Amino acid sequence: MPQSIAVVGAGVSGLTAAYAALQRGADVTVFESAEIAGGCLSRTDLGGHLPVGADDGAEASLHRRPEARGLVEELGLSPVFPSRAHGSRLITPRGPAPIPAGTLMGVPADPESLRGVLSEEGIARAHAEVLTPAIEGDVSCGDFLAARLGDELVDRVLDPLIGGVYAGRCRELSLEATLPALLPAARAGTSVREAVAEVLAARTRTSGADIPGAGWRAPAPTAAGGEQEPPPVFLSLPGGINGLVTALTDALSARGAVLRLGTRVRAVTPGGRAPVVSTDAGAEAFDAVIVALPAWAAHDVLSAGSPDSGDSAAGGLTALLQQIDYATSAVLTGVMRDSGAGLEGSGFLVPPSAGGLVKASTFSSNKWPWMADALPEHHHVVRVSIGRRGDEAWTLQDDETLLDTAFAEWREHTGYEGDLVHAEVKRWERALPQYRPGHAQLVGSIDAAAADLPGIAVTGSYLEGVGIPACIGRARSTVDRLLS
């Protein structure tokens, strides 16, 4: 007899878990408090300026990781890739500079690659790597690399590249979680520059294989003995990566899953072989429940289901979930119009040390050819990202103030003088988990505590990666463990 599975949360983690459970023959019910599914994969038509749609949440998936590529193919979708005609830049004290090539998320094998980004003193400091003592366990990514290669490298390069992924700061993030390829060097007390050189060399040696921690796949030699261009770093879909949500919900509905949108789960109660999901409409028992919510929301529903848990397994799990911290951010999207001057590049990153509100911008219609094709002549779409952990005073400002301030800064960085014909704000409150040092050990404890609750499992971006592929992979493995 098929098992009945409830999935609480219809972001990409929850939808993938529901899809995987259906593939295993389960009867699936998905609960989502919002009126639409998708979570951080969210869509806008920019006030009618882009009817085909665009992302105002996550805008792409890493191409080198197989999880999203495989799901896109499985759902019969056609991926699209960024333009190779444009590059991104870093904002430096001397103005915008190309993001250095030949690094691992900004960590260089040869510091000479950072000319134009670091000062002469900063380059000299990176050359003079200090071999700090071998560590045990995990450490702060920023503190470790500052001790090895200097503060300037961390503040100007690593913080916008690595910290920007989490809306956090390198000195508060885990080395093991953010740059696992460098963890062996940290634990052995050997050179991180040599470790980066080995990763870069492996890219060259390996034809089309995934290199752990490298961030892309190495080019394969052509029949003529030359090199092909490297595969794209990112993939998306026409209309945005949010199209993955539509495809998943369509596939779930077609296979008989029940999607209860606009239904808030108030509590998940463990209980023998029949955990219970409680909503305003009543309580329902299932063979198993997958909680696919942010850690803070998972804590709330599990605590409500076991209010007197004390030192029980449920209490242990909720206490662990409370240890996951989050950052709030926002995406501001604008439609620009000019007389033909256009925009150069695909965007820029701003280090926290530069001050200001803006942390990054993507020139979306330069980056994604499908978007440029859908716009009128001389029109452009740009995304501006704001919000870092510990710098959230902006959350008290209204949308109009945020737009005025952010786009004024954006013009200072770009020198662009075209008209802003439409702009909107999408706020993402407590949406980006912070992977503190020791994160992998915390995840292990969370999984062990969840395993002590029969029929209960947890999944989401706070566990094994914030990117779309990591969420997909974690959701599938959660279902495999639960139904095995």
Side-chain angles (χ1 to χ4, degrees):
M1 182 175 179
Q3 288 185 295
S4 61
I5 305 292
V7 178
V8 182
V12 69
S13 294
L15 293 175
T16 302
Y19 184 65
L22 275 177
Q23 291 176 311
R24 296 283 294 264
D27 293 328
V28 176
T29 301
V30 180
F31 296 88
E32 169 57 48
S33 61
E35 296 296 333
I36 59 173
C40 291
L41 272 62
S42 176
R43 180 187 184 278
T44 175
D45 68 357
L46 294 174
H49 289 273
L50 195 66
V52 68
D55 298 303
D56 58 5
E59 68 157 351
S61 174
L62 273 177
H63 178 264
R64 76 173 180 89
R65 297 264 314 237
E67 299 93 339
R69 288 202 320 265
L71 184 57
V72 164
E73 181 178 351
E74 192 175 336
L75 293 170
L77 304 174
S78 299
V80 295
F81 305 103
S83 168
R84 296 185 185 271
H86 300 279
S88 192
R89 298 183 177 188
L90 276 172
I91 300 301
T92 78
R94 288 175 289 184
I99 292 180
T103 73
L104 181 61
M105 290 297 288
V107 183
D110 180 2
E112 293 301 313
S113 64
L114 299 173
R115 287 204 176 274
V117 175
L118 299 188
S119 67
E120 290 296 327
E121 293 78 10
I123 292 172
R125 174 65 181 85
H127 271 294
E129 180 178 356
V130 176
L131 296 183
T132 52
I135 65 160
E136 295 183 5
D138 193 12
V139 291
S140 153
C141 169
D143 287 345
F144 170 72
L145 289 165
R148 286 297 189 96
L149 302 174
D151 290 313
E152 190 175 313
L153 173 69
V154 170
D155 295 339
R156 288 195 189 179
V157 183
L158 271 63
D159 241 341
L161 284 172
I162 299 175
V165 171
Y166 300 88
R169 299 175 188 272
C170 274
R171 296 174 193 270
E172 298 175 353
L173 295 173
S174 155
L175 179 67
E176 183 175 8
T178 59
L179 283 171
L182 301 186
L183 192 63
R187 289 179 173 167
T190 55
S191 169
V192 295
R193 285 178 49 208
E194 290 179 2
V196 171
E198 290 174 4
V199 170
L200 299 180
R203 290 177 176 176
T204 303
R205 290 194 305 269
T206 307
S207 175
D210 288 326
I211 309 300
W216 61 295
R217 300 176 80 197
T222 64
E227 274 198 347
Q228 297 175 347
E229 286 187 315
V233 176
F234 298 107
L235 68 81
S236 185
L237 298 168
I241 196 67
N242 63 82
L244 196 57
V245 172
T246 303
L248 280 168
T249 54
D250 287 349
L252 291 173
S253 297
R255 293 177 180 228
V258 177
L259 274 68
R260 297 188 181 176
L261 303 179
T263 304
R264 181 176 295 279
V265 170
R266 300 296 181 180
V268 173
T269 305
R273 298 181 58 183
V276 173
V277 174
S278 299
T279 69
D280 291 338
E284 297 176 68
F286 294 88
D287 292 320
V289 178
I290 299 173
V291 181
L293 298 171
W296 53 269
H299 165 273
D300 290 350
V301 299
L302 288 166
S303 295
S306 303
D308 300 319
S309 57
D311 294 328
S312 69
L317 175 57
T318 56
L320 291 166
L321 291 172
Q322 277 189 307
Q323 296 182 36
I324 303 288
D325 199 5
Y326 277 79
T328 293
S329 63
V331 173
L332 286 55
T333 310
V335 179
M336 320 291 290
R337 179 181 59 216
D338 58 44
S339 59
L343 281 165
E344 293 184 2
S346 61
F348 58 83
L349 301 172
V350 185
S353 58
L357 182 66
V358 175
K359 68 176 184 180
S361 176
T362 301
F363 305 163
S364 301
S365 51
N366 280 4
K367 183 175 182 178
W368 301 107
W370 65 264
M371 189 180 293
D373 292 342
L375 288 168
E377 189 176 12
H378 305 317
H379 283 64
H380 315 279
V381 172
V382 300
R383 285 166 49 110
V384 177
S385 298
I386 64 174
R388 293 184 178 93
R389 177 66 186 152
D391 180 21
E392 297 174 350
W394 61 270
T395 60
L396 303 177
Q397 298 179 9
D398 59 31
D399 287 358
E400 184 178 359
T401 302
L402 283 181
L403 289 168
D404 288 345
T405 304
F407 276 99
E409 281 186 26
W410 183 88
R411 290 182 189 276
E412 290 178 5
H413 289 309
T414 62
Y416 181 78
E417 297 180 352
D419 298 325
L420 180 62
V421 298
H422 174 78
E424 56 193 46
V425 177
K426 183 75 171 186
R427 296 174 187 256
W428 294 104
E429 296 184 12
R430 291 192 290 173
L432 283 167
Q434 303 295 289
Y435 285 16
R436 306 292 192 190
H439 181 77
Q441 290 70 33
L442 176 57
V443 170
S445 298
I446 289 172
D447 282 339
D452 287 339
L453 297 176
I456 300 290
V458 293
T459 192
S461 65
Y462 64 93
L463 292 163
E464 296 176 15
V466 298
I468 294 170
C471 290
I472 292 170
R474 168 72 194 204
R476 286 191 182 278
S477 65
T478 297
V479 170
D480 288 344
R481 289 196 300 270
L482 190 64
L483 298 185
S484 293

